[in-house]
Amino acid sequence: MASLRSPASPSDGYKRFSDDFANTSINNYGSNVTNTRAGTDGAGEAGSLDMGSRSSLHTGLQMSEDEHWEMNYHEAAIYLEEGLNNEKFDSHPSSPEELPAYLRVHNPWYHGLDLLASLVLILLAFTEDPAVPAFELPVWAHGTIELLALTVIGVELHLKLKWIGWSTILKHKRTMIKGITLLIMVLEAVVVLCRQSSHFRVTRALRPIFLVDTRHCGGVRRFIRQILQSLPPILDMLGLLMFFVATYSLLGFYLFSEHIDNGHFKTISDSFVSMFVLLTTANFPDVMMPSYAKSKWYAVFFILYIITVLYVLMNLMLAVVYETFTRIEREKCRALLLHRRVAARRAFRLLVSRRAPRAVRLRHFAGLIRHYAPHYSGLDVYLMFKQLNQSGSGGLSRAEFANVYEVFALRWAPQSGRAPWYAASALEPLGRAAAAAVRWPYFEYLIYALIIGNGVSLVLRVCEAAGDLQDSARLLCASWDTWLFLTLFLVEACLRMMASGLAAYLESGWNVFDLSVTLLALMGAVLLSIAPKLFIVVIFRPLRLMRLYKLKKRYRDVFGTLVLLSPLMSSAGCVMLVMYYFFAIIGMELFAGYDLKNCCVNTTVEDFYKYSENSSTALGYYYLNNFENILTSGVSLFELTVVNNWFILMNAYATVAGQFSRLYFMVHSP
């Protein structure tokens, strides 16, 4: 956090800065041009000859000097936005006719509506056949909603093309793909409405394209782009890996196909599938044991295979992925930095005057900020200018102005002490008492002692015998000691808030965590008293014990690292959800009509699908792993991701849907 001293006297720079604003010809900061004509009095920076570069946004328009400068500020702000959003400069508005389209496409309402329409399309998978029973809609309803959402996206795409130009669509591959996908989906939606029934629509899996293309998913797009750029070396390693899998599969067929009790190597295709599954270790040592029973020496084959493909090649592939991904990340960061430097340089040319062609004056900088970040106050603008102007020359050089993006990340706070929030108010006695209590040297030790006491009480309640689950849950989270500790924790939170104020209290992540878990535990105790069978609330009381991890630096570093990585982790999580949605839609289109109950008679997975209405074995619940709707498909895909016994589901669908269905599971699971 940057910390600069606030102006202390009326004669300082900020006072002069405010006076300059008041003396301009327009009644706000941003323009330093008076209404006098060039050369009439020679004062200030007035006149058309004093402008360094003219904005292309007012080409051919008759404007006053004030309006010319305003358009310069506006275009300079657009350049900075393009640099921040990594937008290509070939789509920069270059005429007054292109500016309205640019402003519409960069309007927050446009971005919000685009995001809403994309989410509606994604959520339609819950209502379409095969639908989640609770959300099922008739064909005319979900078809109409889909067509409306696609219409909104189409109108927005039309506005975007008016901005970037129809001739540049071939250069914007993402926009071109989005347009083609939109056209296909509109045609399919019309067909569904006309036929009043859904058909084989595997293209629904492409709906996340619209979500990924929204402004709010910029991090997700960068993550996907880096994955695609990392594919060539990964595919090279994957080809080498598949070569060894195929070679061992061929050798395994000739070694073990004659073993009657080993059904994993009956044919070359069975051998390849078994060795591919063994790559994930899901069927090891099951696939080895029948041959191992024939001869102990056969174990060498399987051990060498595991060492070669799993511990050597897979680790090499991981190293290649890491190296390629980090290299692309470095190159991307470098490209983003250079792009922002170019944007800053173009904005710089629009802000300099002929009287000062090598520096941006304070007034011009203020005019830029008024368009780029209108919520900034005059003091913020002055402090940003002073932070950038390290030379103290009174004007920003091109090198200094190039750091304009970094200064927007700063937050300003005065160095001098401020009066507490409760000063000169009726709460001042309480505030002073609370502040004295919080500053007491043993206050933190007392709080940690209370947390430890809460933990000891929790352990004793867990060990205490109870008549049934309801009594046990009540003793654990709604007994007298629970209310005692929760009351003490609430008193602690109130003292901290009274001492520092609510805003300062909520600035600390640990304070927010403490208050949240205390209120959750209190809510859980109340709910458990009202509804004794609501056992899920027992999780709230132990959460306060996590505050103890703050005592050790290693744990603080772990939590801090998680906070820093949360943006990248959220992007990776969104990419995984997109992939799950993609495979879930394809899985529903391919396998939704198959029933797995008692499906695999006389196969190696028969026991896992035995079903009876009266009774079922402990293994006979695998029929629940199906693709009957988007929710169950997601659960089935997650089980495939874990790769534990994933081949059981694959073999079942290979039995009922055909051997080619294995490709779907083999592509997803590894």
Side-chain angles (χ1 to χ4, degrees):
M1 176 182 292
S3 179
L4 298 179
R5 186 175 299 277
S6 298
S9 65
S11 61
D12 62 7
Y14 181 58
K15 178 63 167 59
R16 294 195 303 273
F17 177 53
S18 302
D19 293 340
D20 288 340
F21 284 168
N23 293 331
T24 56
S25 60
I26 54 178
N27 193 23
N28 51 36
Y29 68 86
S31 177
N32 66 336
V33 182
T34 64
N35 288 327
T36 57
R37 302 179 65 87
T40 56
D41 55 14
E45 294 182 318
S48 61
L49 296 179
D50 198 48
M51 298 183 66
S53 298
R54 287 182 178 270
S55 170
S56 60
L57 300 181
H58 53 66
T59 303
L61 300 179
Q62 296 297 325
M63 292 185 175
S64 66
E65 290 298 321
D66 289 347
E67 292 171 331
H68 277 303
W69 272 110
E70 287 301 310
M71 295 304 288
N72 273 26
Y73 300 149
H74 197 173
E75 186 172 10
I78 290 176
Y79 273 125
L80 292 187
E81 289 179 354
E82 290 173 333
L84 181 66
N85 300 324
N86 195 29
E87 294 176 353
K88 296 180 180 179
F89 295 121
D90 58 4
S91 59
H92 179 83
S94 57
S95 66
E97 293 78 13
E98 296 178 0
L99 181 59
Y102 176 89
L103 295 178
R104 283 194 294 265
V105 172
H106 290 77
N107 189 288
W109 288 99
Y110 175 94
H111 300 317
L113 191 60
D114 193 21
L115 178 64
L116 178 62
S118 303
L119 289 175
V120 167
L121 282 179
I122 295 288
L123 296 177
L124 279 177
F126 290 83
T127 66
E128 300 166 324
D129 186 43
V132 178
F135 303 106
E136 186 174 5
L137 292 176
V139 175
W140 67 266
H142 67 69
T144 303
I145 294 173
E146 179 181 9
L147 201 56
L148 288 175
L150 291 173
T151 302
V152 171
I153 294 176
V155 172
E156 293 177 335
L157 182 60
H158 174 73
L159 293 176
K160 182 177 180 180
L161 290 175
K162 285 188 64 177
W163 158 48
I164 66 175
W166 292 87
S167 60
T168 61
I169 188 172
L170 295 178
K171 298 180 182 179
H172 292 257
K173 296 182 179 62
R174 191 176 75 245
T175 303
M176 183 173 60
I177 294 173
K178 181 178 180 180
I180 295 173
T181 305
L182 177 65
L183 179 61
I184 295 173
M185 289 191 175
V186 168
L187 293 176
E188 285 199 331
V190 172
V191 171
V192 169
L193 283 175
C194 293
R195 296 177 66 244
Q196 284 298 298
S197 64
S198 296
H199 53 274
F200 184 79
R201 294 187 61 191
V202 73
T203 53
R204 292 190 299 156
L206 300 178
R207 286 174 178 172
I209 289 176
F210 303 118
L211 179 63
V212 171
D213 191 58
T214 60
R215 174 61 61 85
H216 299 83
C217 293
V220 179
R221 286 198 303 275
R222 286 193 293 270
F223 198 88
I224 294 176
R225 188 183 301 114
Q226 289 176 219
I227 291 176
L228 296 177
Q229 292 172 345
S230 304
L231 281 181
I234 296 174
L235 293 177
D236 292 340
M237 287 298 303
L238 188 61
L240 180 62
L241 181 65
M242 288 298 101
F243 170 78
F244 277 95
V245 173
T247 302
Y248 273 94
S249 301
L250 184 64
L251 179 59
F253 169 72
Y254 284 104
L255 287 177
F256 311 125
S257 60
E258 295 181 352
H259 297 177
I260 300 176
D261 52 350
N262 192 344
H264 299 285
F265 298 92
K266 288 182 179 180
T267 64
I268 291 181
S269 61
D270 290 338
S271 179
F272 179 81
V273 170
S274 298
M275 300 308 289
F276 186 87
V277 175
L278 186 57
L279 177 65
T280 65
T281 69
N283 60 346
F284 186 82
D286 297 344
V287 70
M288 182 186 74
M289 286 306 171
S291 301
Y292 186 64
K294 299 289 183 180
S295 173
K296 299 297 187 292
W297 290 104
Y298 286 136
V300 176
F301 170 85
F302 297 96
I303 293 173
L304 287 177
Y305 175 77
I306 291 293
I307 292 175
T308 302
V309 300
L310 183 63
Y311 296 120
V312 176
L313 293 180
M314 288 293 284
N315 285 325
L316 284 176
M317 180 180 290
L318 180 61
V320 168
V321 171
Y322 175 78
E323 191 278 332
T324 305
F325 205 83
T326 52
R327 175 176 54 81
I328 293 175
E329 178 71 16
R330 289 195 301 268
E331 293 175 355
K332 185 64 178 178
C333 290
R334 179 176 177 273
L336 286 174
L337 178 61
L338 292 177
H339 185 73
R340 292 183 179 184
R341 288 295 176 90
V342 173
R345 188 161 60 247
R346 295 189 178 196
F348 180 85
R349 289 201 299 264
L350 293 169
L351 299 176
V352 296
S353 62
R354 292 194 176 186
R355 291 176 61 90
R358 299 180 182 275
V360 175
R361 298 299 183 185
L362 177 57
R363 289 181 176 180
H364 299 314
F365 181 76
L368 167 69
I369 301 302
R370 183 160 57 84
H371 286 275
Y372 183 73
H375 59 282
Y376 275 54
S377 66
L379 179 59
D380 291 327
V381 175
Y382 176 73
L383 293 174
M384 291 168 64
F385 185 87
K386 296 296 290 183
Q387 177 68 18
L388 288 171
N389 189 216
Q390 296 294 320
S391 64
S393 61
L396 301 180
S397 65
R398 192 169 72 173
E400 291 174 334
F401 187 78
N403 299 319
V404 66
Y405 290 104
E406 285 74 11
V407 80
F408 280 102
L410 302 178
R411 295 296 179 267
W412 311 99
Q415 289 181 339
S416 57
R418 294 178 296 178
W421 71 274
Y422 49 78
S425 68
L427 297 176
E428 183 171 1
L430 291 176
R432 291 187 179 278
V438 171
R439 287 195 299 266
W440 183 43
Y442 298 101
F443 181 78
E444 291 293 335
Y445 295 102
L446 178 61
I447 298 304
Y448 283 118
L450 288 176
I451 296 174
I452 294 174
N454 180 46
V456 172
S457 172
L458 190 64
V459 172
L460 293 177
R461 290 300 187 184
V462 171
C463 296
E464 185 176 352
D468 55 17
L469 288 178
Q470 295 185 22
D471 293 338
S472 177
R474 183 184 57 79
L475 287 173
L476 185 64
C477 294
S479 56
W480 66 268
D481 54 299
T482 302
W483 296 104
L484 174 62
F485 283 109
L486 289 178
T487 302
L488 294 175
F489 290 146
L490 286 176
V491 170
E492 175 218 353
C494 292
L495 286 175
R496 293 184 186 274
M497 281 188 281
M498 287 292 297
S500 59
L502 181 60
Y505 175 83
L506 295 178
E507 287 178 358
S508 170
W510 281 108
N511 287 341
V512 174
F513 173 79
D514 290 342
L515 182 61
S516 301
V517 298
T518 300
L519 294 177
L520 284 174
L522 181 62
M523 180 185 67
V526 173
L527 291 177
L528 202 58
S529 301
I530 299 173
K533 292 185 178 181
L534 196 63
F535 301 133
I536 193 173
V537 299
V538 300
I539 192 61
F540 295 145
R541 184 181 178 187
L543 290 178
R544 187 60 194 266
L545 297 176
M546 289 188 65
R547 179 63 183 262
L548 295 175
Y549 288 105
K550 186 184 177 183
L551 292 172
K552 194 171 181 62
K553 183 179 182 299
R554 187 184 306 276
Y555 294 123
R556 294 199 301 272
D557 293 341
V558 169
F559 291 130
T561 303
L562 289 176
V563 172
L564 293 175
L565 292 178
S566 57
L568 184 59
M569 292 172 63
S570 62
S571 298
C574 290
V575 172
M576 291 187 65
L577 289 177
V578 167
M579 294 303 298
Y580 269 69
Y581 187 89
F582 178 82
F583 277 97
I585 294 295
I586 296 178
M588 288 191 296
E589 295 293 343
L590 294 176
F591 309 123
Y594 294 104
D595 185 4
L596 299 183
K597 296 177 181 177
N598 298 313
C599 66
C600 305
V601 181
N602 298 326
T603 65
T604 57
V605 296
E606 177 181 1
D607 292 338
F608 297 94
Y609 294 94
K610 284 184 177 180
Y611 174 79
S612 173
E613 293 183 0
N614 298 324
S615 63
S616 181
T617 64
L619 297 176
Y621 294 103
Y622 274 71
Y623 71 90
L624 297 173
N625 297 325
N626 54 53
F627 295 87
E628 63 182 12
N629 57 58
I630 190 72
L631 292 181
T632 56
S633 298
V635 174
S636 300
L637 290 174
F638 184 79
E639 293 190 23
L640 292 174
T641 305
V642 178
V643 303
N644 185 30
N645 289 344
W646 69 274
F647 63 95
I648 295 176
L649 185 58
M650 177 183 68
N651 289 338
Y653 277 105
T655 302
V656 299
Q659 296 298 318
F660 285 102
S661 63
R662 294 183 186 273
L663 293 174
Y664 172 85
F665 298 94
M666 294 173 73
V667 170
H668 173 271
S669 297

